[in-house]
Amino acid sequence: MYWPLGTPSVYAASKQLRQKKAVHISDATFPSDHDSPLDENASEKLEDRQQWADSADQAVTTDDESDHGEGSTARDRLLSQPTEKDQIPSRHPARHLSRRDTSGVDDDGEIIAMRIARAGHLLVTITRTSLTIWQTRPTVVLSSVTRSPQSLQTYGPNLSLSLRPDGQILVVQTEFGFLITYSVATDPSALVYRQQQLQTSHSRRHSITNGSANRTYGNRDPGAGDYIPEINIRFRMVIKIDAGIGRILALDDELVVSTLKPAAVQCIRWTPDNHGSQTSTELVGKMTWIPSEAKIIDMVHDRPMNLSTWVTDDGKAYAVQRIPGASANPNPKRSVNMFKGYCFHDPDVESDCAVQVTINARFSLIAVGCANGNVIVYTARDYDGHIPLSHTLRPAHSPDSLGRLTCLAYSPDGYCLFAGYERGWITWSVYGKVSGSSFTADREISTANSENWLLGVHEAFWIGGGSGLLLRSPADDRLWTLEMARSATTGCFSQDNISRPLLQTDSGLMIYKGYDVPDLTAISVEASLWHHIQIPAGYLADQWPIRCSAISLNGRYVAVAGRRGLAHYSVNSGRWKTFDDPNSENEFTVRGGMFWHQHLLIVAVETGTHYQLRLYSREKQLDETEVLHVENFEAPIICITSSGVDSLLIYTHENVLFHYVIDVVDSTVTLTQVGQIGLQGIIRAPLRVRSVSWVVPEEQLHHGDPSQDVATATVIFLVDGKLVMLQPSANDQGELKYDMRVIAQNVEWYSLMRDNELVGGEEGSVSLPFAPIGGLNIHTPQSNGLRDSLWYFDGSSMAVWPDVQDVSSSAPADYGRDLPAAVQINVDFYPLCTLVSKGIVFGVEPELAQRRDLSFAFWRFATRTHLFLPPLLRHHLAQYNSPAALHLSHQYQHLPYFAHALEILLHNVLDEEVETSPPPENAILPRVLSFLSSFPQYLDIIVQCTRKTEVRSWRTLFAHLPSPQKLFEESLDKGSLKTAGGYLLVLHNLEELHTGSNQSLRLLHRAKEEHDWELCKELARFLMALDESGNTLRHALVEVELRDGVDDESGGAQVGDMPHDPITRMGTNGSHGSTHPRGDGWHYGRSASARGHNRSPGSVGANSGGTGGGTARGSGDYFASVPGP
């Protein structure tokens, strides 16, 4: 659900280009200035950094200037011997370098490590000699510290970095085994930057309640606010680790350090505990769940799951938890039991050894990056070691092409995984669909343009709640920020957001408009089907990043919510509405989702300690006095969704599902609770629920009491990646109970078509996903259509149950029934929604554009479509349910590419049965052919299929059909001359057409009578191929009276020698197309390969007529392209 977009922004802390490494001479003296030449193109690239010149000059100090006393205690000073200012051996180091002589450290500005705070607002980078703090948005330098030569000599150059999650303490690891800690403080009274406001005609004014000032909104950067405060960096202390440092990890309460000799884990609290102790140690050899000789080389921690993951040097990965109540040991030399863990990744081969690891709390996943570049993903079911394999992500490139795996990072919402390699990067959706890869780039062009972000990544962090990626490339002093477009479903999982694809970028929205255009236009790959919307700059400046967005089912209204407040937009008028009072805007946070009901925006909000459901009207101003209705809840709302025409489902942290009915009369809105379901004991972790829906029986839905819906409805939950169905029933005492069953795994999103019905009360007509213009009536009681269909995407393919009632009847495990098999629809792109009315699955695919005349590459994504009719029809036919297949197909006969869908159905079945040769009783091909005979395009579909398959498949096909001779006669009788011509090729290739047969003569005669000179020309070529002497053609032309019986002097017949030369004259007849023969006309030997059967309907020509209609098209067009339906 994430895709790279545009070209990245690049930032540097200096306006000077990074110098090349100096070449040291043998006597190890310091290099002179001329030994470090600048890049030859430095003068050309210098201007690109001029705009960041001021950033490098802000608050730059050396650590010798820091006050030792501030930020440290007496105990700190005891633990930090020697310190930055004490025990400095000399201020005049020797020229020859040694372990204690690093005053000549070559720092060319290369960024060697970076870390980001949990809130995402601060970024810290280090070079070998300096430390810099940035603000992520807008990206500017706030403060910097350059270490003194004495510090470098004593402790060594910088090596690694760790940042406490709140961003208030950072730890720098040095090459000599020291940890230098700094405290970070914000001074709101001192400003580093203040944005200049530009007055424009579109600016808006917000009143402050105290009346002391007015805030004017201009074109400010997202997240900028009114000013950027100053950041102060103060030296805290130095910690000496004699045992060698393997990895450091800064947590909220302590610093965790893994040591090498001996292998141990040390925990150093930021402040002493109640007993005055600050350090504790546990030897790896004392941990019974880990080999005693193992050394810990990587550690990550996830606070929401309260889980850590360790990687050891033998390639194993462990899930680790801190033992509750384990207190610090006053004696640092004595080991205590502080951790418990389980090995969940034990490689059998060296290529599967773990090198990187990351945790996805949203989906309870742990991803382990392996030495061969693969990423193995596990599911963390509990804290007792039950961590089974979920799936494996395998790049399409060899390990040598990938290079070493350098970093893994899940997006904040868990829907996307970024994997950085030495030679590029890849992004996957949560369950495995590739959504972007830099390995498609031309490395020569990327190298020439210094686009290091395409050539390799060493570290990556998500910023802006997932709106962008911050990348660090090797041997580079620049940071790259790549914008990401993501589906609105990631922040607000609602059926409306799935039915109407809405993409959210860093500062705008993109609405798919394919529903409102003709069918052939909807399957076009043109980018004009996207409607771009810019979010108001004033709202972005204060409330960036945008966390939630929602679109109405009819596509008329859109709403967005950032850190605070919300704003909504009318697509028809093109106008935004925002809060005029900033206090009202900042008074609440949208948490739990939002959706549109007619013109009403229903929002789940939190205000301090209150949890509410609010209703806003698009027709009214956004203000706390204009709220139409407020419903209070005792617990936070997890998700809200609409169901049917007037039902509202609300699921809360109390594990209770509330059912409300919305009644809108004129300007009055009433929200009435009619039922609730307690799910204690069924749903163990309410926060893991991503969405909820239900299916009410038809009789109850139309004629029953709404208060009884909870007793009859089948409830569907999406918990992590599991699609769970709850079926109501009564126990022996007559009490309501629910039988639970997991019906699908690894679900990224699902769509229940019943929830996509048009809500009443709207004026005007709209084209909805389920209501095609051609008259598909999915509300017919006897319909076997798709009104009750349930769709989902599992990371590899789409799947659908045509009728969810079939699933619910099999869901109770007590019945012992197997679930009906879902129909699999394989797609090679990421699907966003199903356009049921158009018979297609719609999605997007990223593309990297590079041009030699441009100095930068940029990402774009193309729209993709895929027909879902062939697999659905095949499913019905395989179940011996031909009436259902006929009913479904008749509903889509109005589509211009319907015949193409039937052709794909036949082609896929034929290919499979040629390869597998199933027993006659299991063969589907006869049923498919019988089904196709019900349609007028039957003859044309058959001959089109032969054109796209190997000749060896034809005998399998015609074993279940009348002879090609009979099909030829039938086509001729129906006047489908082009189709009859196709059967001539079949007869020829099956060696059933001999030179003396009269089929060619009859077809040539009919073509002459109907003045189809294009077909005449192709038949002439065909006869020449049969008899290169020309006698057959000459005889045929005489028989159909296209020339007399006198031969020319050469004794041969020429195509253009026909009497009256009709082929030459047909250029004057506009209905017969071009006079130029095409080289891809009739094929006289082996049939064309089966390369076209996977083409999407987007490839169908927009000007195509009905298949088999006899319309003259270009020369040889019948055999050169897929016919129009």
Side-chain angles (χ1 to χ4, degrees), residues 277-333:
S277 177
Q278 197 166 353
T279 63
S280 55
T281 303
E282 182 174 5
L283 296 174
V284 172
K286 299 296 184 180
M287 301 178 186
T288 58
W289 43 272
I290 190 171
S292 58
E293 67 277 5
K295 296 179 175 60
I296 301 170
I297 61 174
D298 193 15
M299 298 184 296
V300 297
H301 179 77
D302 185 79
R303 188 178 69 161
M305 291 187 67
N306 189 27
L307 183 70
S308 297
T309 305
W310 295 355
V311 176
T312 55
D313 58 353
D314 56 2
K316 296 181 180 181
Y318 299 82
V320 182
Q321 272 196 304
R322 187 73 180 267
I323 297 177
S327 60
N329 182 13
N331 184 3
K333 295 183 179 180

Side-chain angles (χ1 to χ4, degrees), residues 660-706:
Y660 284 81
V661 172
I662 309 171
D663 186 18
V664 182
V665 179
D666 297 331
S667 59
T668 304
V669 180
T670 304
L671 200 63
T672 306
Q673 181 182 350
V674 294
Q676 69 181 52
I677 304 173
L679 299 172
Q680 294 81 3
I682 300 176
I683 304 296
R684 293 187 302 172
L687 288 177
R688 315 221 72 81
V689 174
R690 296 163 53 202
S691 179
V692 60
S693 305
W694 73 9
V695 180
V696 180
E698 291 289 338
E699 182 66 23
Q700 172 66 25
L701 183 64
H702 296 292
H703 307 291
D705 183 358

